Amino acid sequence: MAEGLRLGVNIDHVATVRNARGGILPDPVRAAHLAIAVGADGITAHLREDRRHIRDDDMERLAAELTKPLNFEMAATDEMIALAERLKPHAACLVPEKREERTTEGGLDVVGQEAQLAPRIARLKAAGCRVSLFIEPDEAPIAMAAKLGAPVVELHTGSWCHAVADGKTAKAEAEFQRLASGAAYAAKLGLEVHAGHGLDYDTARKLAGVPAFVEFNIGHFLVGEAIFVGLEVAIRRMRKAMEEGRASS
Ligand code: PXP
């Protein structure tokens, strides 16, 4: 693996395809086992309030069966915290959740929600979960994450990836610099720095060149690529892209 850089595979959208028909196929837990067999360093799954992709029984099976760390992505609600307290995943990543959004659109408002987040982070830590906060790559939320005692931040790469995809070169460069500075600042505060949302081979390769990042969590692109080349090849190519990026740093 790229030196000091892990790949977490998000299997939510295997469940999206399953749920399009109801039933049990394709099984996201099978995808998780395959991802681990071909080199994923961990598995991420987001149990949303509306259960649009991952369902409760998926989470139960992932927590019981996985041989690599499970990163349980969740809204900071009492329902989800109670589930994490029972399932005890390796990590809990707190994300904002809006019912009407198609995907997680922005980072968690840690500055505005300090009072509500503090006791929930404490509960997750008491349950033994490594708490991560999914935030925008700016100094204020990063500093607040450190103040709240979260050991990990995951920086939202969505704005950068959208700018790259839309061919907005100047905006993409500014967003990349925002991510690089945010990651360096978070690392300076002693936080472990992850990244995710919208990454593909090219953006993952480029971001891997920023040494402060230690983990990328990638889902939608890998599941989409799997349609054409299979999940194994997609994961191997992603790892190679990350290695190339890290080697160039
Ligand atoms: N990290 C977090 C916190 C997420 O919410 C998501 C999904 O939106 C991802 C990573 C993976 O994003 P994607 O599926 O776009 O790769």
Side-chain angles (χ1 to χ4, degrees):
M1 189 59 218
E3 181 112 6
L5 184 58
R6 301 187 296 263
L7 172 61
V9 173
N10 180 317
I11 44 120
D12 291 349
H13 295 302
V14 179
T16 302
V17 176
R18 174 194 61 193
N19 297 357
R21 274 288 167 98
I24 58 170
L25 298 176
D27 178 11
V29 181
R30 180 179 172 200
H33 286 302
L34 174 63
I36 287 170
V38 300
D41 296 294
I43 297 297
T44 295
H46 183 181
L47 184 66
R48 295 187 75 105
E49 187 193 10
D50 62 8
R51 305 325 195 244
R52 72 176 70 156
H53 38 57
I54 293 295
R55 301 190 299 225
D56 295 63
D57 58 314
D58 299 324
M59 225 59 220
E60 300 270 351
R61 289 170 61 216
L62 290 167
E65 294 178 24
L66 289 190
T67 53
K68 287 270 174 83
L70 171 62
N71 178 27
F72 181 172
E73 229 186 83
M74 64 176 79
T77 61
D78 284 331
E79 180 199 17
M80 291 299 156
I81 306 275
L83 195 56
E85 286 175 325
R86 185 165 65 74
L87 297 179
K88 300 196 186 311
H90 166 81
C93 179
L94 296 180
V95 302
E97 215 176 278
K98 290 187 229 123
R99 210 172 252 272
E100 65 281 8
E101 72 189 353
R102 225 184 302 167
T103 181
T104 312
E105 280 164 2
L108 194 61
D109 176 19
V110 281
V111 176
Q113 295 177 8
E114 179 187 0
Q116 298 94 305
L117 285 171
R120 296 186 158 118
I121 291 170
R123 277 175 66 186
L124 289 167
K125 286 171 79 173
C129 299
R130 196 159 165 77
V131 177
S132 162
L133 303 181
F134 185 50
I135 57 176
E136 293 295 321
D138 298 318
E139 289 200 1
I142 292 167
M144 182 57 78
K147 183 177 167 210
L148 284 165
V152 182
V153 285
E154 180 160 325
L155 302 185
H156 199 312
T157 50
S159 298
W160 175 51
C161 292
H162 284 141
V164 171
D166 294 345
K168 295 180 178 161
T169 317
K171 165 123 171 107
E173 186 49 32
E175 289 293 342
F176 179 77
Q177 290 308 329
R178 191 174 156 228
L179 282 162
S181 321
Y185 179 64
K188 200 174 85 188
L189 296 184
L191 296 164
E192 183 175 307
V193 194
H194 299 181
H197 201 98
L199 292 170
D200 61 13
Y201 297 137
D202 291 338
T203 46
R205 182 185 295 104
K206 182 162 165 81
L207 202 64
V210 178
F213 287 109
V214 303
E215 181 173 306
F216 291 168
N217 288 306
I218 307 178
H220 185 266
F221 175 79
L222 288 173
V223 173
E225 269 294 280
I227 294 169
F228 303 103
V229 300
L231 192 56
E232 173 171 355
V233 171
I235 289 172
R236 289 195 197 285
R237 287 183 183 168
M238 182 57 75
R239 290 186 58 131
K240 185 159 177 287
M242 289 163 60
E243 275 163 25
E244 288 165 358
R246 185 56 42 116
S248 71
S249 67

